[in-house]
Amino acid sequence: MGPPGAGKGSQSAKIVEHYVMPSISTGQMFRDAYSNNEPIGIEAMKFIKNGNLVSDDITNKIVALRLSKQDAEDGFLLDGYPRTVAQAIALDKMLDEMGTKLDAVINILSSNDVLFERMEQRRVCRTCGTTYHLRFKAPSVEGVCDKCGGELYQREDDSHESVMNRLMIYETKTKPLLDYYDKKGILFNVNGMQSFDKVYEDVELVLGEF
Ligand code: ADP
Ligand code: ADP
Ligand code: ZN
């Protein structure tokens, strides 16, 4: 968990390199569905582009479907889900039915100044979803993905207005979840305002316990 731009996607990529398991990013699933012209993606993008949340109903459904796939049987990482208390309750129900539970919730902390800068400088590969930063994680060739050669683009919701809205929605809808998981005793805070590797070291300190 963490506000938009905190580094959830970047750390998820590092985590699943080490602990082999699927990384399930609702934002990335919506973006993929949109680029494949799927109705769910087109519907979701109406909300995403302005920085609003997609409905709990649609979001819970795509997560339930994803968790039912075989590769999630031995563990998984959720990135950007849940984002509302209603989603957290729905997730608890899904996990109950699967006979499993969350081991840990990692919350990446960051200041708004850092978040604004990161989202302004973020570029994403249209083909494989790999994320870059124009200064801190620049591609070797401008505009081209190092991994797959795909085209890099700036997300429509990384515009200044959308970012303002996303940060406000984070405060009102998502932040209350921290308390929800803290009460369960599974919330771990990590300082996201450090280098990629240093943040990951701190993440490892948490995950190493399990
Ligand atoms: P989130 O998934 O939380 O929105 P990302 O992982 O996409 O965040 O990161 C947002 C932007 O900030 C990206 O451009 C990414 O490359 C960059 N970034 C992420 N973590 C760091 C870090 N520790 N130091 C510098 N830049 C970072
Ligand atoms: P970021 O963390 O940088 O905002 P994400 O890729 O996680 O990026 O999410 C992008 C957008 O996708 C969100 O602003 C929201 O519109 C939508 N989205 C992603 N996850 C959810 C969710 N769990 N519930 C509702 N909307 C979501
Ligand atoms: Zn790529």
Side-chain angles (χ1 to χ4, degrees):
M1 296 199 48
K8 301 181 294 297
S10 303
Q11 294 302 322
S12 296
K14 284 178 178 289
I15 292 168
V16 298
E17 231 174 70
H18 185 107
Y19 302 90
V20 179
M21 57 168 107
S23 166
I24 301 176
S25 157
T26 38
Q28 192 58 43
M29 286 196 283
F30 288 137
R31 284 187 291 279
D32 288 344
Y34 178 74
S35 29
N36 294 331
N37 261 318
E38 290 167 33
I40 202 175
I42 293 165
E43 182 57 25
M45 195 49 72
K46 292 183 195 157
F47 299 89
I48 295 174
K49 66 175 187 203
N50 300 320
N52 294 314
L53 292 181
V54 179
S55 76
D56 288 336
D57 197 36
I58 294 183
T59 309
N60 290 333
K61 274 191 190 130
I62 66 156
V63 172
L65 196 65
R66 183 64 188 82
L67 287 178
S68 70
K69 294 204 174 147
Q70 205 179 0
D71 66 344
E73 270 175 13
D74 294 329
F76 48 85
L77 172 72
L78 294 168
D79 163 10
Y81 178 90
R83 259 175 152 99
T84 64
V85 172
Q87 289 179 14
I89 292 168
L91 173 63
D92 279 344
K93 197 161 161 261
M94 289 178 222
L95 297 177
D96 248 10
E97 281 164 10
M98 290 169 76
T100 187
K101 61 176 181 50
L102 294 180
D103 289 315
V105 174
I106 298 182
N107 179 42
I108 308 180
L109 298 160
S110 198
S111 71
N112 281 1
D113 288 355
V114 169
L115 298 175
F116 268 111
E117 195 273 347
R118 284 190 184 168
M119 282 184 273
E120 187 178 284
Q121 306 277 312
R122 169 159 58 190
R123 296 295 181 273
V124 181
C125 173
R126 231 183 247 295
T127 312
C128 75
T130 298
T131 297
Y132 295 85
H133 183 286
L134 294 182
R135 277 199 298 142
F136 302 128
K137 190 176 179 265
S140 325
V141 179
E142 198 188 316
V144 181
C145 177
D146 288 347
K147 275 207 185 135
C148 78
E151 178 207 358
L152 303 185
Y153 77 108
Q154 180 166 30
R155 279 167 44 178
E156 200 174 343
D157 61 338
D158 279 346
S159 68
H160 194 76
E161 299 76 57
S162 280
V163 167
M164 300 266 280
N165 191 33
R166 282 155 70 200
L167 290 173
M168 196 185 72
I169 289 177
Y170 172 78
E171 288 293 326
T172 52
K173 302 255 175 79
T174 307
K175 226 175 171 184
L177 272 184
L178 300 179
D179 203 38
Y180 181 88
Y181 288 121
D182 198 21
K183 284 194 175 124
K184 289 180 187 277
I186 55 171
L187 183 73
F188 299 89
N189 289 307
V190 165
N191 175 10
M193 294 175 287
Q194 315 179 80
S195 69
F196 287 96
D197 290 345
K198 187 70 187 61
V199 178
Y200 184 65
E201 261 177 43
D202 291 356
V203 167
E204 277 265 77
L205 284 178
V206 175
L207 294 181
E209 301 280 310
F210 295 92

